[in-house]
């Protein structure tokens, strides 16, 4: 929300798909379901949010935005609620170019340069120093004073 991550996850797909487009649709539908859940939670806090789900799967976007099934076969019909949600403008889809999807950090082994770029897209930074730097990093990044630590804050 704004510049803050409110939810992130990675999980294995529990449904069996007969095509990559179908698999992408199931994953996108899960993300849209989570987004609508966050909208409901935001409403409880008095926030009015417009959920935009960023997707790198052109096939899934195509299936979700068409009316009816088209040429798609063997689709689990319980995921078709997304047609109504998009038509009613309860959520929106945004196409992300394949190489720019930060979700790839959790699903593919990107090289160092690609990983750094994907991390930057979601505001993650690498902090140097390892275990010796941990007490200082904890103080610098909101950990505050811990019992047993020397010194004053």
């Amino acid at each position: 929300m704004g510049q803050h991550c409110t939810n992130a996850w990675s999980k294995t797909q529990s449904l069996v798909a007969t095509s990559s487009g179908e698999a992408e649709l199931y994953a996108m539908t899960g993300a849209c379901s989570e987004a609508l859940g966050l909208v409901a939670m935001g409403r409880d806090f008095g926030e009015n949010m417009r959920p935009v789900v960023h997707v790198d799967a052109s096939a899934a976007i195509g299936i979700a935005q068409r009316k009816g099934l088209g040429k798609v076969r063997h689709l689990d019909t319980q995921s078709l609620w997304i047609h109504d949600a998009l038509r009613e403008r309860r959520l929106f889809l945004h196409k992300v170019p394949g190489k720019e999807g930060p979700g790839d950090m959790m699903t593919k082994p990107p090289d160092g340069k690609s990983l750094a770029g994907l991390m930057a897209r979601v505001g993650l930074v690498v902090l140097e120093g390892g275990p010796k730097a941990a007490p200082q990093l904890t103080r610098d990044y909101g950990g505050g004073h811990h019992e047993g630590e020397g010194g004053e804050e």
Side-chain angles (χ1 to χ4, degrees):
M1 191 164 129
Q3 295 298 313
H4 304 283
C5 178
T6 56
N7 194 0
W9 78 99
S10 177
K11 68 179 208 169
T12 57
Q13 186 167 304
S14 58
L15 294 169
V16 175
T18 58
S19 71
S20 60
E22 189 179 331
E24 292 167 346
L25 175 69
Y26 295 154
M28 183 182 70
T29 301
C32 290
S33 177
E34 290 285 332
L36 291 174
L38 290 170
V39 167
M41 183 180 72
R43 205 171 337 173
D44 291 343
F45 294 114
E47 294 291 329
N48 184 22
M49 299 186 297
R50 284 179 43 135
V52 178
V53 177
H54 295 248
V55 183
D56 68 354
S58 297
I61 292 172
I63 295 168
Q65 290 179 335
R66 74 172 55 122
K67 189 172 183 176
L69 291 177
K71 295 181 180 182
V72 176
R73 306 269 189 261
H74 311 293
L75 192 63
D76 182 357
T77 56
Q78 78 180 35
S79 62
L80 294 179
W81 62 266
I82 197 167
H83 288 154
D84 292 333
L86 290 169
R87 191 170 37 258
E88 294 165 3
R89 304 182 67 74
R90 288 186 285 140
L91 62 89
F92 303 88
L93 301 178
H94 174 75
K95 173 68 172 119
V96 176
K99 298 276 187 199
E100 296 177 19
D104 285 355
M105 289 186 292
M106 296 183 241
T107 59
K108 297 175 185 166
D111 60 56
K113 185 178 179 182
S114 297
L115 180 59
L118 295 171
M119 289 174 63
R121 287 183 62 85
V122 294
L124 296 174
V125 294
V126 175
L127 301 174
E128 302 292 330
K132 291 181 182 175
Q136 182 62 42
L137 294 173
T138 301
R139 283 190 293 274
D140 292 348
Y141 290 93
H145 182 72
H146 297 282
E147 198 171 316
E149 258 183 39
E152 305 239 348
E153 294 213 27

